[in-house]
Amino acid sequence: MALGVRLLLLLALWTLVVPARSLREAGDGGWWRPGPGAPAAVAEEERCTVERRADLSYAEFVQHYAFSRPVILQGLTDNSRFRDLCSRQRLLALFGDSVVRLSTANTYSYQKVDLPFQEYVEQMLHPQDPFSMGNDTLYFFGDNNFTEWASLFRHYSPPPFSLLGTIPAYSFGIAGAGSGVPFHWHGPGFSEVIYGRKRWFLYPPAKTPEFHPNKTTLAWLRDTYPALALSARPLECTIHAGEVLYFPDRWWHATLNLDTSVFISTFLS
């Protein structure tokens, strides 16, 4: 048999026997984990209503978005090194024994739970139970020990835009599919997805959304969203890996992780 034909046959056999999971992990950093009890798949929105910009200058950012409306930024920074360091294997090797602080997924997050990062990843990073309340849902976002995680954060390149009189502060997180934070507001900031997809829902400050502060975003999407008139629906879009969402000061927003997601926000406080 000719060498070229043999190589083609070996390649075909390799494709058949390599688990699909191994191929998928090459692009998701190893965070995708199948398992029982996963909620029904949550789809992306039918139409993204937040503008995407790949060529935005600082002057345009200040004039058109910084104080008036959200925008999705593309291609402004190269965080490939940071992304590599945020794979499941590398983060566990670097920070597996580190204690992380988890917060409840309700609008007013009072409860905090401390436990080793490895325990969170291996035992609690599962798909959201669609019937759990927000105060029964714990996940890792913010409350970072900046001294302990400095070796990771120094490799992150935040968006090159700032607002006069503000100081940037990072909030790093990892959350399971179907998890998220219900509607709340605070100061302006950027949020970048490193792995996975994160769906956002946003209302301007003058338009208070209809929501229950102790119900998860997944429950809101199931129970409240379908009954909203088109005029009452939020701006919404799914942010993919490598994209950055900017949200202005005091804008209401809720998030929903469509996959196991790794993300980092830069709050301008």
Side-chain angles (χ1 to χ4, degrees), residues 57-258:
S57 68
Y58 179 68
E60 288 179 295
F61 169 72
V62 171
Q63 182 177 0
H64 298 295
Y65 303 103
F67 308 103
S68 57
R69 66 184 191 269
V71 62
I72 299 167
L73 309 173
Q74 298 176 314
L76 290 181
T77 55
D78 178 8
N79 275 307
S80 54
R81 171 59 175 162
F82 183 75
R83 177 182 168 88
D84 289 343
L85 291 172
C86 288
S87 71
R88 187 178 191 272
Q89 181 179 5
R90 289 200 174 191
L91 280 186
L92 285 175
L94 291 169
F95 303 105
D97 294 331
S98 299
V99 173
V100 294
R101 174 158 292 181
L102 311 182
S103 301
T104 52
N106 52 348
T107 297
Y108 309 106
S109 299
Y110 296 121
Q111 185 182 3
K112 306 287 185 179
V113 174
D114 294 339
L115 79 171
F117 178 64
Q118 183 165 353
E119 182 178 337
Y120 170 68
V121 169
E122 295 182 347
Q123 299 183 25
M124 300 187 68
L125 198 60
H126 48 67
Q128 172 74 46
D129 181 343
F131 299 103
S132 289
M133 301 299 286
N135 62 349
D136 293 325
T137 302
L138 291 166
Y139 79 125
F140 175 45
F141 68 103
D143 283 323
N144 306 123
N145 183 323
F146 290 95
T147 300
E148 197 166 14
W149 290 72
S151 61
L152 175 67
F153 293 156
R154 67 185 176 88
H155 293 282
Y156 179 65
S157 298
F161 300 152
S162 60
L163 297 178
L164 187 65
T166 64
I167 300 174
Y170 292 149
S171 176
F172 179 72
I174 303 170
S179 64
V181 180
F183 282 105
H184 63 288
W185 60 265
H186 43 67
F190 303 91
S191 185
E192 180 168 354
V193 173
I194 307 302
Y195 287 109
R197 296 170 298 156
K198 183 184 287 284
R199 187 171 169 181
W200 283 72
F201 308 90
L202 304 110
Y203 284 100
K207 194 171 184 178
T208 303
E210 178 185 343
F211 72 101
H212 189 292
N214 197 32
K215 286 191 175 181
T216 64
T217 306
L218 188 64
W220 176 86
L221 184 64
R222 178 193 63 208
D223 300 334
T224 303
Y225 180 90
L228 294 176
L230 291 179
S231 60
R233 289 194 173 182
L235 293 179
E236 57 180 308
C237 199
T238 297
I239 312 303
H240 297 87
E243 293 185 319
V244 181
L245 174 76
Y246 170 76
F247 49 88
D249 186 30
R250 296 177 181 268
W251 270 65
W252 290 94
H253 54 278
T255 61
L256 181 65
N257 297 293
L258 303 188

